[in-house]
Amino acid sequence: MKKSLKKIIFLIMLMTNVVFSQKKTAPTLIVFNAKIHTLDDKNPNAEAFAIADGKIIKIGNNKVILQLKSKTTKIVDAKNKTIIPGLFDSHSHVIRGGRFYNTELRWDGVRSLTKALQMLKEQAQRTPEGQWVRVVGGWNAYQFAEKRLPTLAEINDATGNVPTFILHLYGHAYLNKAGLTKLKIDATTPNPPGGLIQKDEKGNPTGLLVAEPSAYILYSNIAKLPELTNAEKINSTINFLTENNRFGITAVMDAGGGFQNYPDDYGIASQLAEQKKLTVRLPFYLFPQKPGNELKDFTKWISEVEVGNHDDDHSKLEYYVQGGGESLVATGADFENFDQPRPELPPAMEAQMRAVISTLVKNKWPFRLHATYNETINRFLNVIEDVNKETPLNGLLWFFDHAETVSVENLQRIKNLGGGIAIQHRMAFQGEAFIKRYGLKAAENTPPVKDMLEMGIPIGMGSDATRVSSYNPWIGLYWLTTGKTIGGTKYQSDRNILDRETALKLYTQGSAKLVRLDKDRGMLKEGYLADFAILSADYFNVPDEKILDITSNLTVVNGEIVYADDIFKSLINPFPRAIPDWSPANYYGGYQKN
């Protein structure tokens, strides 16, 4: 009798566990009938996968996966479209960019200067008193059919009495006459350190602000422009995150940036994170703002902030301090204005940098370092090597950003110290300027991506959006796989050009591996995060130039649909209209479709 009772109890428990297990693993979402490129070398292709609790629980063929559906499972027929893992931008300024997105007229992707000036004129007509027309990054002269920049006369003619600011890379900016008046720049205004206010033969400012070579003159004037209200900034940030999702971006590492004070300017992003309204995973770095005060800032942050993700609420997307950078000390800034000679960093840099890096290493804080030129990298490595002798890095996460002209010798030093490199498609926007200054031969291996890969150095791909490059990751993938700028100039040697799969891996698992998050992302496989994009076209088979036109038709982050377009548009609620109503985003969107 006792044996029978035990057997009955055992069977009941077994059935209960089976039922519980089935409920726990019942997929919330199934996507089938797809061309899935998993980027998993052991299982490179699939037709379908099932998702639960923000992760992929099963991947395989249509028949096997569809058998897992329950009454509550959402089913998406991919219509034989291409699916890739979500893109991970390892260097962007999305927190700052989100606060201003609704104010900015984006020339990203515009193929005609005539059209760009028409957009400028239309926006000036709808911009209200007290606000500015602003074009801030993401474009260059060579993307236009006319292959030239606008003139100040054309800008003034298009904008009239509405103050206007137009930023062109890190090289220069245009202020129209109304903008000069608004900022009180006249014949008596002195040049700021590292910058030039161009003046005519009568001594009056023309409206051209030139970085010679410091970008401070550009950033400081952007900072003087009026900001949006708090409610408008929330709406603006949501719209900008959605714009990133439109291209299949599911994660971004925010690199801080000038005039991005912590914690004050992080309030909007923090609020959205707390409310579970972020639509990208968003680790971020802390960037000290006041020259000479950097060590004090980092010492304070180390005592107050915990680095790394310590939030157990997996329904919220990752939002946490990853470390310090991208600039650690102001004396270490070598902005890549290729219209000007390479800046020579001051002798005081080493001592200041050593104090900061030593403090970070002692407190096990990861760090990243903005460095464009090999000469800068060489000096930074001297400092890091000295610190390492006193306080061993012992595998601490650190990496360089940009590294366009890094030498093979310095790559070996980076590898020896356990460092990595975050590269961006800045040369897609500045290749022509680089060639004019340094020659085509010097440009052929800039940056030396193949050398980095062959040496086994961790590499993450990103954009450096929004004030120089565009946030559109497909420009980066086009650049990596063709060696061309957005103006169509092929400057990279054939040896330095990547195949499409290798390039895509840099923008997915490469960025994840750079910050040691690759154990559960960067590929589509069982147990990995359900972050992916259904593409508008097959990246692996379209002609080279068509890569630039790719967007996402459906973007999923943590198993949730965050963007839907085209045939999938009904799967998500309509996106909010930008506020204020005059926002350029309502009339032109962000990146312009051809």
Side-chain angles (χ1 to χ4, degrees), residues 445-467:
N445 203 35
T446 304
V449 181
K450 273 285 179 68
D451 289 327
M452 297 174 191
L453 285 169
E454 289 174 0
M455 294 174 72
I457 296 171
I459 311 172
M461 182 62 192
S463 65
D464 200 11
T466 59
R467 293 184 173 176

Side-chain angles (χ1 to χ4, degrees), residues 165-180:
F165 180 98
I166 299 175
L167 176 67
H168 180 253
L169 308 175
Y170 275 142
H172 62 267
Y174 303 96
L175 284 169
N176 69 350
K177 292 177 181 178
L180 287 169

Side-chain angles (χ1 to χ4, degrees), residues 182-213:
K182 202 75 173 175
L183 294 181
K184 298 178 180 178
I185 296 175
D186 58 25
T188 66
T189 306
N191 290 326
L196 170 70
I197 300 170
Q198 187 191 69
K199 294 178 180 176
D200 62 20
E201 63 278 1
K202 295 181 180 179
N204 295 313
T206 64
L208 188 68
L209 307 179
V210 184
E212 284 193 346

Side-chain angles (χ1 to χ4, degrees), residues 65-94:
I65 301 303
L66 286 171
Q67 287 175 349
L68 301 176
K69 68 179 180 180
S70 70
K71 292 180 181 179
T72 58
T73 303
K74 180 179 287 187
I75 308 293
V76 174
D77 181 352
K79 305 291 185 183
N80 204 37
K81 286 180 173 286
T82 298
I83 295 181
I84 62 167
L87 300 177
F88 188 166
D89 189 329
S90 65
H91 184 126
S92 187
H93 299 276
V94 71

Side-chain angles (χ1 to χ4, degrees), residues 5 8 68 99 123 129 199 222 271 307 316 326 333 415 470 479 558 579:
L5 183 60
I8 292 169
L68 301 176
R99 289 165 47 223
Q123 187 55 39
E129 179 73 27
K199 294 178 180 176
I222 292 174
Q271 181 178 335
V307 293
K316 290 197 298 187
E326 67 180 290
K415 182 178 180 179
S470 174
W479 167 73
N558 211 40
I579 55 173

Side-chain angles (χ1 to χ4, degrees), residues 256-304:
F259 295 90
Q260 180 68 20
N261 290 286
Y262 181 82
D264 301 4
D265 294 327
Y266 290 72
I268 301 301
S270 298
Q271 181 178 335
L272 292 175
E274 200 56 41
Q275 295 174 352
K276 303 180 182 179
K277 291 183 179 178
L278 290 179
T279 59
V280 298
R281 302 180 188 277
L282 190 55
F284 59 94
Y285 285 77
L286 300 187
F287 185 128
Q289 299 296 312
K290 189 175 179 182
N293 209 49
E294 298 94 344
L295 181 59
K296 184 178 178 181
D297 280 344
F298 279 118
T299 302
K300 178 175 184 290
W301 291 333
I302 286 168
S303 69
E304 296 176 349

Side-chain angles (χ1 to χ4, degrees), residues 51-199:
I51 294 163
D53 298 323
K55 293 187 176 182
I56 295 171
I57 59 172
K58 191 74 175 175
I59 187 164
N61 62 46
N62 292 326
K63 183 178 180 181
V64 169
I65 301 303
L66 286 171
Q67 287 175 349
L68 301 176
K69 68 179 180 180
S70 70
K71 292 180 181 179
T72 58
T73 303
K74 180 179 287 187
I75 308 293
V76 174
D77 181 352
K79 305 291 185 183
N80 204 37
K81 286 180 173 286
T82 298
I83 295 181
I84 62 167
L87 300 177
F88 188 166
D89 189 329
S90 65
H91 184 126
S92 187
H93 299 276
V94 71
I95 295 174
R96 182 183 66 195
R99 289 165 47 223
F100 296 99
Y101 177 72
N102 281 3
T103 68
E104 295 171 355
L105 175 65
R106 304 300 306 181
W107 281 353
D108 306 41
V110 177
R111 290 297 179 179
S112 159
L113 178 58
T114 300
K115 181 182 178 183
L117 289 169
Q118 180 61 32
M119 293 166 66
L120 195 68
K121 183 175 183 178
E122 292 170 359
Q123 187 55 39
Q125 291 170 350
R126 68 172 66 93
T127 300
E129 179 73 27
Q131 273 293 348
W132 285 59
V133 176
R134 49 190 112 182
V135 180
V136 185
W139 65 282
N140 79 0
Y142 296 96
Q143 76 189 48
F144 299 140
E146 297 89 342
K147 302 296 181 186
R148 69 172 180 87
L149 293 165
T151 65
L152 279 162
E154 289 171 326
I155 291 168
N156 277 296
D157 183 58
T159 57
N161 294 324
V162 182
T164 299
F165 180 98
I166 299 175
L167 176 67
H168 180 253
L169 308 175
Y170 275 142
H172 62 267
Y174 303 96
L175 284 169
N176 69 350
K177 292 177 181 178
L180 287 169
T181 300
K182 202 75 173 175
L183 294 181
K184 298 178 180 178
I185 296 175
D186 58 25
T188 66
T189 306
N191 290 326
L196 170 70
I197 300 170
Q198 187 191 69
K199 294 178 180 176

